[in-house]
Amino acid sequence: MAEVTFWVTPHRRFENVAGMVSEAQFWTPTGHHANILLPAVYRKWWQGDLTNRSLPPALAPRGPDDLAIIREEVESYGVGFGCWVVPGECSQEEAKIHAAAGLAAGFLALDVEPYEDFLVEPYDRDPSGYLDALKRSLGDDIPLALSIVPLPSGIKPLKLRVDIWLYFADSLRPQCYWTDNDDLALIPARRYLRSLGIPLPPIVPIVPHPLTEAAKFGIRPKAGRSWRRMRSGRDTDVWFLR
């Protein structure tokens, strides 16, 4: 069965786990299994310790124990679960916290973006120490995904360090939310990475929710093109944007 994974942002306004799961299940196409990725850690701070969010305390973990409780409730509905984190300085402290989140959630995605409020400059810092520590703690049973913006602005500032990020990734989840045609959106990334001779892990594009969210960004999917692509039977990631 194909998988559709809904990325929740800190700025969603769900009341509780049941409400979050209900919305994901409602928009899951026939023939797909639903999964939820919850934001867990921003740099070295758990979501429950941050004030710049709309998620209620019940969906904002303050540590791995909270995250494990949320996971248990989500999975009780038959929905898969995981979490995503935002690396900043790529320090050993971050690696320890991010690994704890991944172990509690069962799936970990790294949102790696060379922009203000995401990675801390220099953007081309060597992440080897961070990633080594992270992977050692996670082991082989916790999938590690890399999420990037597949535009020159999201890749070139990483320079050749992007090779290191990709080496550790079990899957690449490019953020194609500025267009409903994710195939076209991926062309710049594929060309640039291939020019560096970098082998790519399996790619699962992240597209905007074509019926509920894209219009907020001025995107008008033609005849539900992205939605039909989900229904085609392939794995798809979807941003539940603010």
Side-chain angles (χ1 to χ4, degrees), residues 67-88:
L67 193 58
I69 292 172
I70 298 172
R71 174 187 179 182
E72 183 177 8
E73 185 174 354
V74 169
E75 291 181 343
S76 72
Y77 292 93
V79 173
F81 187 74
C83 74
W84 62 276
V85 302
V86 176

Side-chain angles (χ1 to χ4, degrees), residues 6 15 27 29 37 47 50 59 64 74 87 114 120 128 134 141 143 153 184 189 191 200 203-204 209 228 236:
F6 296 96
E15 292 185 3
W27 292 113
L37 286 187
Q47 282 294 329
L50 299 172
L59 291 173
V74 169
V120 175
S128 297
L134 184 66
D141 296 331
S153 65
L184 289 177
R191 285 178 176 169
L200 299 180
I203 298 175
V204 181
H209 192 299
R228 286 206 306 272
T236 306

Side-chain angles (χ1 to χ4, degrees), residues 14-113:
F14 298 114
E15 292 185 3
N16 48 39
V17 170
M20 178 176 67
V21 169
S22 177
E23 185 166 344
Q25 290 177 323
F26 179 80
W27 292 113
T28 297
T30 301
H32 283 69
H33 174 256
N35 304 275
I36 288 174
L37 286 187
L38 191 73
V41 184
Y42 172 76
R43 296 180 178 172
K44 60 182 179 180
W45 297 285
W46 288 87
Q47 282 294 329
D49 296 325
L50 299 172
T51 57
N52 182 27
R53 59 175 170 80
S54 300
L55 290 175
L59 291 173
R62 303 190 70 172
D65 291 343
D66 289 349
L67 193 58
I69 292 172
I70 298 172
R71 174 187 179 182
E72 183 177 8
E73 185 174 354
V74 169
E75 291 181 343
S76 72
Y77 292 93
V79 173
F81 187 74
C83 74
W84 62 276
V85 302
V86 176
E89 297 177 347
C90 301
S91 64
Q92 294 293 307
E93 181 182 9
E94 284 186 8
K96 180 179 179 181
I97 298 171
H98 296 171
L103 289 168
F107 182 100
L108 180 63
L110 306 179
D111 183 11
V112 177
E113 300 184 44

Side-chain angles (χ1 to χ4, degrees), residues 106-156:
F107 182 100
L108 180 63
L110 306 179
D111 183 11
V112 177
E113 300 184 44
Y115 307 115
E116 186 178 0
D117 294 330
F118 289 88
L119 280 179
V120 175
E121 293 189 72
Y123 297 138
D124 62 340
R125 70 173 70 240
D126 187 348
S128 297
Y130 161 81
L131 288 167
D132 278 329
L134 184 66
K135 199 65 175 179
R136 281 198 307 272
S137 297
L138 290 177
D140 296 327
D141 296 331
I142 306 297
L144 180 64
L146 174 67
S147 177
I148 62 171
V149 176
L151 288 172
S153 65
I155 300 176
K156 288 188 176 182

Side-chain angles (χ1 to χ4, degrees), residues 142-200:
I142 306 297
L144 180 64
L146 174 67
S147 177
I148 62 171
V149 176
L151 288 172
S153 65
I155 300 176
K156 288 188 176 182
L158 302 174
K159 299 183 179 178
L160 291 179
R161 304 300 189 188
V162 69
D163 191 2
I164 300 174
W165 288 104
L166 285 166
Y167 175 79
F168 283 85
D170 297 310
S171 63
L172 178 61
R173 333 285 278 212
Q175 301 168 34
C176 301
Y177 46 68
W178 70 90
T179 173
D180 67 317
N181 192 329
D182 51 271
D183 292 324
L184 289 177
L186 288 172
I187 287 176
R190 285 196 175 107
R191 285 178 176 169
Y192 181 71
L193 294 172
R194 285 172 179 166
S195 74
L196 299 177
I198 296 174
L200 299 180

